[in-house]
Amino acid sequence: MTRERTGRAAFFVAVGILASRIAGLFRQSVFAHFFGASAAGDAFQAAFRIPNMLQNLFGEGVLSASFIPEYSTLLAKGDREGAKAIAGAVFAVLSIVTASLVLIGVSAAPYLVDLLASGFEPSQREFATDLVRILFPGAAILVLSAWCLGILNSHRLFLLSYLAPLAWNAVMIGALVVFGDTNTQESLATKLAWASVVGSLAQFLVQIPSVIRVAGFVRPNLNFAMSETRRVFRNFFPAFFTRGVAQISGLIDLTLASYLPIGAVSSIAYAQTLYMLPGSLFGMSVSAAELPAMSSVIGEADEVAEILRDRLRDGLERIAYFVIPCAVAFIALGDVIVAALFQTGQFQRDETVWVWQILAAASVGLLASTLGRLTTSTFFVLRDTKTPFKYSIVRLVIGTGLGVLLAFFAPRWMGIDPKFGAMGLTLASAIAGCIEFVLLRRALSSKIGKVEMTSGYLSRVWITGLVSGATAWVVYRITGADNPIATAVIVFATFGIVYLALTNLLAIPTALDITSKLSKLRNRLSV
């Protein structure tokens, strides 16, 4: 059986995600300039998180679990009409369900804010309620944008769907720039919420022409006669509950953070923007490319299991190569990154250190959570959505229990500032994520056989990452931090050069591949 190569697809996904994440970082940087770690900033971040739950519940994760495997399999069999039929059914159901939830969310906004941000002052809760009502429709539009992504990815068109969030970010950044200097923080937050809705519509619309080109005009329908359509929705709900548990965990963290000192909600949001970048850039790029490729594998059970093991091992090694140095950088040099991106206007050195501490704690679980994404995708390929759901429950229980302990009791026992509870909250989530990955890996081994990385691979990557981080730290101490941006460029250029050189000396395949591509690019440019 010919093995489909996904390196090029993963590259396009990574390019799209990188561009979108850079735009997101710039958006957060501009947001930090105008809001810092303020009460209005906390209110917007909390309000933004509540309707965003709708997108995360019904968006890419659920569609990856249920829709893409069935749609890709039909395409592999040459049944394009059947693929179009299930695409129309999914679009119709998503439209009906999300529209209903928007109506409920707008009506129940006061109760949602009271429940999920109960630690806010009354005026802060009232303001967050107004923002939630504005933001909810935009989140529903982003769900339909994820439907476009599912179709385009299944047709191996990866770049556009991951570049599309640029439109959303551009509209929000434009609103901040245009209105930032002439409005109060509360008025600016309101305008930013409306800009988010407009940006969501733009993100959806830019993908529609390409969807029509590859899939034709997809007619919404409620026809469940096809077995594949029924299977999509049979797998949809376990996947929905799996994503739901993850969202509940995030919302519990939001509730707990609202009881911490002012600025905790915003500071955690800033840290999450950075923490999620490696997972999105490397974990999502590999997982997004591998999911349709894995789903298209047809053959005997043993043959399919062998191919899945090989693909999973290669994917895990590629992810680890990029994520391990990111974890080292966040823990050892997080203040350099935070200062370069956010330290301006209302966001000063104290906020930089606080966000770094939160980021460092979260990074303890960065590798496990990123590897877990690809592992979970493999369960989706096997049409098993129940196992990830079961272990996401375990993660929720452990994360919540540890979160309460480390966020509120640990600072009191240690006699330190309560603001360090934000660090305890993200550390608890990191530990829970590590436990979830171990459980997922063990369960997957029982289905397709044990998946082991190449002997000594992780130890070599960790050692080179630590040596590179130590070298960059020395450079940081020598150069100082008078200019945060210039310092970041020097420090992380040093980190990257040393890391690439050392991993090449150790003959790590991903490093050799990067060097080969850079050499080819240099030769082309020199012609």
Side-chain angles (χ1 to χ4, degrees), residues 101-129:
L101 289 176
V102 166
L103 292 175
I104 294 172
V106 170
S107 301
Y111 307 104
L112 291 172
V113 173
D114 285 345
L115 176 65
L116 300 172
S118 52
F120 283 175
E121 294 296 324
S123 60
Q124 199 177 12
R125 287 204 302 270
E126 183 178 354
F127 181 49
T129 299

Side-chain angles (χ1 to χ4, degrees), residues 29 32 335 338-345 347-350 352-353 481 484:
S29 179
D335 59 330
V338 175
L341 292 172
F342 301 129
Q343 194 169 301
T344 177
F347 196 104
Q348 294 301 307
R349 181 63 186 175
D350 287 345
T352 292
V353 174

Side-chain angles (χ1 to χ4, degrees), residues 146-497:
W147 173 84
C148 295
L149 180 146
I151 290 179
L152 295 176
N153 281 10
S154 297
H155 286 273
R156 311 306 195 262
L157 297 177
F158 296 94
L159 185 58
L160 174 62
S161 54
Y162 289 100
L163 283 176
L166 286 174
W168 177 66
N169 279 301
V171 175
M172 293 187 71
I173 291 169
L176 285 167
V177 171
V178 171
F179 300 111
D181 290 326
T182 58
N183 286 261
T184 64
Q185 288 186 333
E186 288 75 12
S187 176
L188 179 60
T190 301
K191 289 180 171 62
L192 186 60
W194 282 112
S196 177
V197 177
V198 175
S200 300
L201 182 60
Q203 179 175 330
F204 172 63
L205 292 178
V206 297
Q207 298 178 81
I208 290 298
S210 293
V211 170
I212 294 173
R213 180 169 58 84
V214 298
F217 286 95
V218 177
R219 180 176 300 175
N221 67 82
L222 296 175
N223 185 353
F224 304 109
M226 290 178 60
S227 60
E228 290 84 359
T229 303
R230 294 194 298 273
R231 196 154 50 234
V232 167
F233 291 104
R234 190 162 58 243
N235 292 330
F236 184 95
F237 290 103
F240 170 82
F241 288 119
T242 300
R243 291 293 288 183
V245 171
Q247 291 307 302
I248 290 171
S249 177
L251 292 174
I252 289 174
D253 286 349
L254 171 63
T255 302
L256 295 176
S258 72
Y259 284 95
L260 294 172
I262 288 177
V265 174
S266 295
S267 296
I268 290 174
Y270 296 137
Q272 284 179 337
T273 300
L274 292 169
Y275 169 80
M276 292 174 64
L277 181 58
S280 299
L281 185 57
F282 306 118
M284 188 182 295
S285 63
V286 175
S287 300
E290 287 290 343
L291 181 60
M294 287 181 173
S295 300
S296 300
V297 175
I298 302 172
E300 298 295 329
D302 291 344
E303 185 180 14
V304 170
E306 182 180 359
I307 293 173
L308 292 181
R309 285 197 303 271
D310 289 344
R311 299 198 76 100
L312 184 58
R313 182 186 64 251
D314 292 347
L316 293 175
E317 289 184 356
R318 274 186 284 161
I319 290 171
Y321 177 82
F322 292 105
V323 171
I324 286 174
C326 291
V328 172
F330 287 163
I331 293 172
L333 300 161
D335 59 330
V336 181
I337 306 171
V338 175
L341 292 172
F342 301 129
Q343 194 169 301
T344 177
Q346 298 295 316
F347 196 104
Q348 294 301 307
R349 181 63 186 175
D350 287 345
E351 285 79 15
T352 292
V353 174
W354 192 10
V355 172
W356 172 29
Q357 292 162 344
I358 296 168
L359 176 63
S363 298
V364 170
L366 181 59
L367 180 62
S369 64
T370 311
L371 296 179
R373 187 178 186 94
L374 181 58
T375 305
T376 301
S377 292
T378 310
F379 279 102
F380 295 162
V381 170
L382 298 171
R383 276 53 170 190
D384 178 4
T385 53
K386 294 180 180 178
T387 300
F389 169 64
K390 178 172 63 176
Y391 292 135
S392 66
I393 292 287
V394 174
R395 178 177 182 171
L396 172 65
V397 173
I398 294 174
T400 301
L402 274 178
V404 172
L405 180 67
L406 297 180
F408 298 102
F409 293 97
R412 188 183 312 162
W413 294 336
M414 298 170 68
I416 58 177
D417 194 319
K419 68 186 292 184
F420 287 106
M423 184 178 177
L425 202 57
T426 54
L427 178 61
S429 296
I431 294 171
C434 291
I435 294 172
E436 180 188 35
F437 173 64
V438 171
L439 296 173
L440 285 170
R441 183 180 177 185
R442 182 182 302 171
L444 187 60
S445 296
S446 67
K447 289 180 173 291
I448 64 172
K450 197 169 184 179
V451 180
E452 293 284 0
M453 294 191 201
T454 305
S455 178
Y457 182 87
L458 280 180
S459 60
R460 285 181 290 160
V461 176
W462 271 114
I463 290 171
T464 52
L466 291 170
V467 171
S468 303
T471 304
W473 186 85
V474 171
V475 171
Y476 173 42
R477 293 305 171 190
I478 293 173
T479 58
D482 293 336
N483 186 321
I485 296 177
T487 299
V489 171
I490 295 170
V491 168
F492 290 107
T494 302
F495 194 129
I497 291 170

